[in-house]
Amino acid sequence: MKKIKFIHGADLHIDSPMLGLQALPDAIFKRILESTFRAVENLVNAAIYHQVDFVILAGDLFDLEDRSVRAQVFLAKQLERLEKDKIDVFIVHGNHDHLGGKWTDIRLPANVHVFEEKVEIKKFTAKNGTKVHLYGFSYPERHVFDRKIHSYKRKAGADFHIGILHGNVEGSSGHGNYAPFQIKDLLEKEFHYWALGHIHQRTVLHEEPPIIYPGNTQGRHVKEQGAKGCYLVELNDAAATFDFVETSEIIWDEIAIDARDISTFDQLYRLCLEELEGVRVEGRGIFITLKINHLQKLDSALLDELLEILQEEEKDEQSFVWVVRIIAEEKFSWNQGELAKESDFYGELFQTLKSFTEIEEAIAPLYKHPSARKYLSPLSESDVQEITTDAEALLMKKLLKQ
């Protein structure tokens, strides 16, 4: 029986700056800065442990186009570990680490095969004689909007055909629409597996044949919640199996607490401790957003002190549960129609909010800043809607509380 086994990972974002966190204890700060590195180590550990035939890394290995020397040397050493176990590695570069960037080049070991800017085929023969054709390309520059899928053409002579594509499935919002494709485009190629990259949320688009986004190997901020990792894939003449393998060093998560029966600070404090202890994972660090619902009988100003107390208790923990922020749900609502009838001011305010289309112009100075722009992605439709909704809520709370 012809069969192969491999690891499919993507979006390593080694040396990501990890934005959005305020002052942290030194030990925790170091853990999060090192987390993308440790996640790659965990991926390599999994490949060696399972004795796979090869590893696929489907783009955005580095976070920036000017890859740091430290990140490159680290990756090269990890790939050398795979070379020692006779495990090949197939790499495409994506929009973050495209070929057009400027960096000090660090030589990679001989087991590594990097795809160039045009779709090409790389051939692999496993120890058991199984032949594989792998198809892919690397981004020549940051923005690739062409439908590169049309250049993938199956070539006879292999037992298995695997496509590697760093791109956006059409209809998916929140990411740049790079190298767009539809699922039917991939199915028409009659490949046995599609190793995708670019979307950081783990997603199985299709099962037979598997078309998979493994997500990124390490969550980097509050919107990238849950366990992150890669897939262990096995293909044989009869079927394909794929199992998720966690690589996260740090996990981002959210806890909701029902405080409707809470009447004292002590009760709230002890309830929070209980909930946080329930999510602790040995050997892992967890960053939590704590949402407190139905808070009625306590001064919300005490929440700042609660945050400080909860953080203080975790600063020396190896397997920490660090509360990043506390969000309290206040019972606060308004009726736009009624307020507009009461005052022309409110009518004009709601109309301005509804018709405001200059968000990108308002934040242009931030995107033009030489340092900040390297870490920013374009706003998605959902981002714009969230900003507009939050702005209205903030204004109304300020105005109506007066």
Side-chain angles (χ1 to χ4, degrees):
M1 176 183 287
K2 300 296 185 180
K3 61 181 180 179
I4 54 167
K5 180 165 58 175
F6 60 93
I7 287 281
H8 166 207
D11 298 284
L12 314 181
H13 288 276
I14 303 172
D15 218 5
S16 177
M18 295 295 186
L19 302 176
L21 286 175
Q22 297 178 350
L24 292 170
D26 290 343
I28 294 179
F29 183 65
K30 184 176 181 180
R31 284 277 297 281
I32 192 169
L33 286 182
E34 293 292 313
S35 61
T36 54
F37 293 86
R38 302 293 77 77
V40 175
E41 280 187 350
N42 293 336
L43 182 150
V44 171
N45 291 343
I48 294 172
Y49 176 80
H50 292 285
Q51 282 297 289
V52 299
D53 295 296
F54 54 85
V55 170
I56 293 174
L57 300 177
D60 285 357
L61 283 66
F62 303 100
D63 192 63
L64 299 174
E65 60 183 36
D66 51 344
R67 316 164 190 174
S68 71
V69 171
R70 177 180 181 238
Q72 289 189 81
V73 169
F74 165 79
L75 181 62
K77 288 183 176 179
Q78 294 303 311
L79 300 179
E80 287 170 4
R81 292 177 59 204
L82 294 174
E83 183 182 34
K84 289 177 182 177
D85 272 65
K86 297 181 171 52
I87 297 173
D88 280 32
V89 183
F90 295 90
I91 290 174
V92 304
H93 290 293
N95 52 296
H96 275 260
D97 60 352
H98 59 83
L99 300 178
K102 295 181 180 179
W103 61 85
T104 300
D105 194 35
I106 302 298
R107 183 180 60 83
L108 297 176
N111 63 320
V112 178
H113 314 279
V114 179
F115 288 81
E116 298 300 325
E117 62 182 78
K118 293 184 178 180
V119 176
E120 59 179 324
I121 303 172
K122 294 191 180 294
K123 300 178 180 181
F124 174 83
T125 302
K127 296 173 186 176
N128 62 11
T130 301
K131 297 182 182 299
V132 184
H133 283 175
L134 298 100
Y135 307 73
F137 77 98
S138 291
Y139 281 45
E141 56 190 0
R142 182 174 179 84
H143 304 294
V144 174
F145 298 114
D146 298 340
R147 294 178 62 82
K148 301 288 287 187
I149 184 59
H150 296 321
S151 298
Y152 286 74
K153 301 185 185 302
R154 175 168 164 159
K155 183 177 180 180
D159 301 298
F160 297 105
H161 301 265
I162 298 174
I164 309 172
L165 175 58
H166 190 89
N168 193 59
V169 58
E170 291 183 344
S172 174
S173 61
H175 292 77
N177 196 33
Y178 301 135
F181 63 89
Q182 296 180 2
I183 295 176
K184 68 178 183 64
D185 297 328
L186 306 190
L187 294 176
E188 288 172 357
K189 301 300 177 180
E190 297 185 344
F191 287 2
H192 297 89
Y193 185 89
W194 277 97
L196 305 180
H198 183 51
I199 304 298
H200 290 187
Q201 180 62 44
R202 185 167 77 248
T203 308
V204 178
L205 295 179
H206 198 270
E207 292 194 0
E208 294 183 10
I211 301 175
I212 295 176
Y213 283 112
N216 50 345
T217 50
Q218 172 59 60
R220 301 172 302 147
H221 50 71
V222 70
K223 290 189 176 182
E224 296 183 345
Q225 295 184 0
K228 298 291 184 175
C230 57
Y231 273 93
L232 174 65
V233 184
E234 294 191 48
L235 304 179
N236 60 48
D237 295 335
T241 62
F242 46 91
D243 297 300
F244 177 70
V245 177
E246 184 179 352
T247 59
S248 310
E249 170 72 9
I250 301 292
I251 298 173
W252 297 78
D253 210 341
E254 184 175 288
I255 295 177
I257 291 179
D258 189 340
R260 72 182 73 212
D261 296 325
I262 296 297
S263 58
T264 69
F265 179 85
D266 183 67
Q267 288 177 328
L268 179 60
Y269 166 62
R270 296 188 183 283
L271 178 59
C272 289
L273 286 181
E274 182 181 337
E275 293 291 336
L276 295 175
E277 193 59 39
V279 300
R280 194 181 304 276
V281 177
E282 184 65 31
R284 291 284 189 269
I286 301 180
F287 286 103
I288 289 289
T289 295
L290 197 57
K291 301 185 86 170
I292 302 177
N293 300 322
H294 308 110
L295 186 64
Q296 301 178 47
K297 301 177 182 179
L298 291 176
D299 184 348
S300 59
L302 288 172
L303 296 180
D304 290 336
E305 292 188 59
L306 176 62
L307 178 61
E308 291 179 6
I309 294 170
L310 294 174
Q311 290 178 341
E312 179 70 21
E313 298 199 5
E314 295 295 319
K315 67 179 184 179
D316 296 321
E317 290 285 345
Q318 177 68 17
S319 304
F320 62 83
V321 181
W322 185 267
V323 180
V324 177
R325 59 177 176 166
I326 296 177
I327 301 173
E329 178 200 72
E330 297 181 74
K331 291 186 175 180
F332 193 86
S333 62
W334 59 92
N335 186 297
Q336 285 192 0
E338 292 181 2
L339 287 174
K341 289 178 183 178
E342 292 178 10
S343 168
D344 290 341
F345 169 78
Y346 284 113
E348 292 179 13
L349 174 62
F350 294 136
Q351 185 58 42
T352 299
L353 285 167
K354 183 178 180 180
S355 60
F356 188 73
T357 58
E358 301 169 4
I359 288 180
E360 292 189 2
E361 181 180 338
I363 63 174
L366 182 61
Y367 277 79
K368 291 179 181 178
H369 191 281
S371 297
R373 66 187 180 190
K374 294 190 294 184
Y375 306 115
L376 298 173
S377 299
L379 291 177
S380 66
E381 292 182 11
S382 61
D383 290 333
V384 172
Q385 182 59 49
E386 183 178 348
I387 291 171
T388 304
T389 301
D390 289 348
E392 178 179 334
L394 178 62
L395 285 169
M396 296 312 297
K397 286 179 182 179
K398 294 289 186 182
L399 290 168
L400 295 181
K401 282 186 176 180
Q402 297 298 320

